[in-house]
Amino acid sequence: MSYTTEQIKQGIKLHCIDTNKFKTNLMSVIITLPLNREKVTFDTVIPAVLKRGTTKLKTQEEIAKKLENMYGASFDCGIEKIGDNHVIKFYLESLNDNFIPQNKNTSILKQSIDLLLDIILNPFTENDKFKNEYVETEKNNIKLLIESKIDNKDQYALNRCIEEMYKDKPYGLYKYGYTEDLDKINSQNLYDYYLELLNTCKIDILISGDLNKEKVTDIIKNNENVKSLKERKPNNIVNNEQTENKEIVQEKEIEEKMDIGQGKLVIGMDVNINDYNSKFPVSIYNVILGESATSKLFQNVREKASLAYTARSNYVRQKNNIYIRCGIEIENYKKALKIIKEQLEDMKNGKFKEEDLENAKKYMISGLQSVQDEQDSEITY
C-alpha cells in the first residue's frame, strides 16, 4: 500500500491510496467546514438534497439505474462532527477496471469519479435554486432523524454530556442540527449557502484501490466540475492538543429521569496536558482504563462487581477528552460511580502492571493494522 497526496487547487487536495487488496475502488469527497450554530442544520440538509438528483440524472431512480449499469456500484453520504468541524462525506464504491470485461471505451473508474463529482458539484436545480419538493421532503426526513436521537439512550447520554461540557461552544452542537431551524430553510437560501460552501470550504478527494495515480490525477484535473471550482483559503478549524487550553472547572453532575429500566452513566473528563505529543501516552492510558476487554473499568465495574452491562471509555483526541460510559441498573449508580473513581485513582497512582501496558500497546497496534482491512476504514483514517 502506498499513499500520495497532491494539491489540485489551493484548498482542494487529491489523496490516492494505492492498494491491491481489494477488487473495488472506493472514492470519497470530504467537505470540511467550521461548526456554526446558525448553519449546522443547513449543513445536514445539503447532502440529503444533493443525493436526490444531478443536472444529467434528475432523480434518485436515474442515479440508481446509472449505478446498477456500472456493475452494481453503490453511493452513500453522511455527516460527522470531528473536533470543531462539520464534515460532509460522499462515497462511491465500484468494481476495479481490472475485473470487468476489457473495453477500450469503458472505464468504470472514470464513470465513478465523474458521477460522484456530478452529484456533489452539479446538482439538479429549478430556476437557479434547489427543487422545492426535494428540499421539503429531506427537511421532513431530517426532522424525524433529529427527533429520534433520544431513542438510542447510550448515544443520547454521551451527546448530553458533550453539550454540557461545551455549552455555547461549537463542539457542543448536535451534528444533525435542530428542528427549530428547519423552518428557516428553503430551496433558495439553501442553494445560496451551498454555493458559498463550494467557494470557501476545504475539499479532500480520496480514492482507494489498485490505481494508476497519473490516470486518476488526469481524470480529476480534467473534470469540468473541478475545473469550475475556485481556489480558496479553507476556513476549517485545525484541532489538536496544543489548541485546547482547558480551564479548570468544578465537577458537575447532571441527572435526567426517564421511564426506562437501564440507566446510562457518562463521565466526561478534560485532559489537561497541553502538548501535542501527549496523545500517545493518553491513548495508552485510555486503553488500560476502559477501551479494551482487559481494561480496569471492564474488569472491575462489569466483571467483578457486576454493576454494569457495559463499561468502557474512549479518547477524543481532537478535543483532548476522555469519556467513560456505563450501562447500569439505576439503583447501582452510587456503587458504580465509587468503583469508577477508584480506577481513576489507581491510574493516577500508577497502580497498573507492566503487563497492562504491553497489552494496551498490542491492542493499539492491532487496531492500527486492521485499518487496512477495509477501504472505508482506511479512507476515514
Side-chain angles (χ1 to χ4, degrees):
M1 190 271 283
S2 67
Y3 168 73
T4 57
T5 182
E6 179 177 343
Q7 183 168 279
I8 302 298
K9 295 181 180 180
Q10 184 178 2
I12 304 171
K13 281 187 177 179
L14 169 64
H15 311 256
C16 290
I17 303 169
D18 189 5
T19 173
N20 58 11
K21 289 183 69 173
F22 310 100
K23 292 182 178 181
T24 54
N25 294 327
L26 182 61
M27 285 138 280
S28 178
V29 176
I30 298 178
I31 295 173
T32 307
L33 56 148
L35 278 161
N36 179 293
R37 176 62 184 86
E38 293 180 4
K39 297 299 183 182
V40 65
T41 313
F42 279 75
D43 297 342
T44 306
V45 179
I46 282 175
V49 172
L50 291 180
K51 73 180 181 185
R52 295 295 299 268
T54 73
T55 300
K56 299 173 185 175
L57 305 170
K58 296 178 171 55
T59 66
Q60 279 184 296
E61 288 76 17
E62 290 181 50
I63 292 174
K65 286 179 182 177
K66 175 68 174 176
L67 291 167
E68 190 61 35
N69 289 333
M70 293 161 54
Y71 297 90
S74 61
F75 166 81
D76 199 5
C77 60
I79 197 156
E80 293 295 337
K81 180 174 74 172
I82 301 177
D84 288 328
N85 292 303
H86 225 184
V87 179
I88 306 173
K89 300 178 178 181
F90 300 87
Y91 291 97
L92 198 152
E93 185 175 28
S94 61
L95 200 60
N96 189 285
D97 284 337
N98 295 334
F99 298 97
I100 64 170
Q102 294 302 306
N103 184 330
K104 292 181 180 179
N105 298 319
T106 302
S107 168
I108 296 299
L109 174 66
K110 184 177 187 309
Q111 288 184 50
S112 300
I113 293 172
D114 289 345
L115 176 57
L116 182 60
L117 292 172
D118 228 26
I119 291 171
I120 302 163
L121 303 175
N122 193 19
F124 177 59
T125 59
E126 291 182 336
N127 303 316
D128 295 323
K129 59 184 179 182
F130 287 128
K131 185 173 181 175
N132 189 62
E133 177 193 341
Y134 290 174
V135 173
E136 293 306 313
T137 301
E138 295 308 325
K139 281 167 58 179
N140 288 331
N141 291 338
I142 289 163
K143 183 173 186 285
L144 294 173
L145 178 65
I146 296 169
E147 289 174 343
S148 68
K149 67 180 179 181
I150 199 168
D151 295 343
N152 183 334
K153 299 299 189 293
D154 187 54
Q155 189 61 45
Y156 174 76
L158 177 62
N159 288 338
R160 283 290 295 117
C161 179
I162 293 171
E163 284 175 9
E164 291 295 331
M165 289 178 70
Y166 290 92
K167 195 174 287 251
D168 301 322
K169 294 181 180 179
Y171 192 62
L173 297 173
Y174 184 50
K175 72 175 181 179
Y176 292 124
Y178 303 89
T179 54
E180 61 265 28
D181 292 345
L182 289 168
D183 288 339
K184 304 172 188 175
I185 298 174
N186 57 56
S187 55
Q188 186 64 67
N189 63 15
L190 185 68
Y191 184 65
D192 292 341
Y193 178 60
Y194 160 77
L195 293 178
E196 178 189 332
L197 283 191
L198 290 189
N199 290 322
T200 59
C201 63
K202 179 176 182 283
I203 298 178
D204 292 276
I205 303 168
L206 299 99
I207 303 181
S208 166
D210 192 358
L211 305 172
N212 179 319
K213 180 181 175 296
E214 288 71 25
K215 182 180 178 180
V216 170
T217 305
D218 185 63
I219 293 171
I220 297 290
K221 286 185 174 179
N222 288 300
N223 180 277
E224 291 301 320
N225 291 312
V226 172
K227 284 182 179 180
S228 68
L229 291 173
K230 299 177 182 177
E231 297 203 347
R232 77 283 313 280
K233 186 176 180 181
N235 58 353
N236 62 294
I237 307 299
V238 179
N239 280 113
N240 62 51
E241 290 78 356
Q242 290 172 307
T243 69
E244 294 302 308
N245 294 310
K246 307 283 189 180
E247 295 179 5
I248 302 297
V249 294
Q250 284 189 323
E251 185 177 301
K252 185 166 67 169
E253 187 171 329
I254 307 292
E255 184 179 295
E256 286 190 14
K257 292 185 178 180
M258 298 179 188
D259 186 18
I260 53 175
Q262 187 186 123
K264 301 297 180 182
L265 170 60
V266 181
I267 301 174
M269 304 184 293
D270 288 327
V271 179
N272 291 304
I273 306 173
N274 193 22
D275 170 22
Y276 180 76
N277 289 321
S278 70
K279 67 181 179 181
F280 302 109
V282 174
S283 295
I284 296 290
Y285 169 97
N286 176 63
V287 175
I288 297 173
L289 175 66
E291 189 171 321
S292 71
T294 60
S295 69
K296 294 174 75 66
L297 290 176
F298 188 89
Q299 291 298 321
N300 291 287
V301 182
R302 184 184 186 277
E303 296 293 286
K304 292 179 182 178
S306 299
L307 289 173
Y309 302 99
T310 59
R312 64 194 187 279
S313 66
N314 66 290
Y315 173 43
V316 178
R317 179 173 58 83
Q318 292 87 356
K319 299 301 293 181
N320 223 5
N321 293 130
I322 289 176
Y323 295 96
I324 294 173
R325 305 160 69 179
C326 298
I328 61 171
E329 293 286 355
I330 295 167
E331 61 267 23
N332 289 334
Y333 167 63
K334 295 290 185 185
K335 293 178 184 176
L337 186 60
K338 179 175 181 291
I339 296 178
I340 289 169
K341 289 189 174 183
E342 286 173 359
Q343 308 317 304
L344 291 169
E345 195 64 24
D346 281 354
M347 292 297 293
K348 181 179 176 180
N349 294 326
K351 289 185 179 179
F352 51 86
K353 302 173 184 175
E354 188 68 28
E355 181 185 0
D356 296 327
L357 189 62
E358 291 307 311
N359 286 338
K361 291 178 181 179
K362 288 176 183 176
Y363 174 88
M364 290 196 65
I365 290 168
S366 175
L368 288 167
Q369 289 174 338
S370 69
V371 164
Q372 298 180 39
D373 293 341
E374 295 181 5
Q375 283 176 295
D376 183 23
S377 299
E378 202 166 54
I379 278 182
T380 301
Y381 180 78

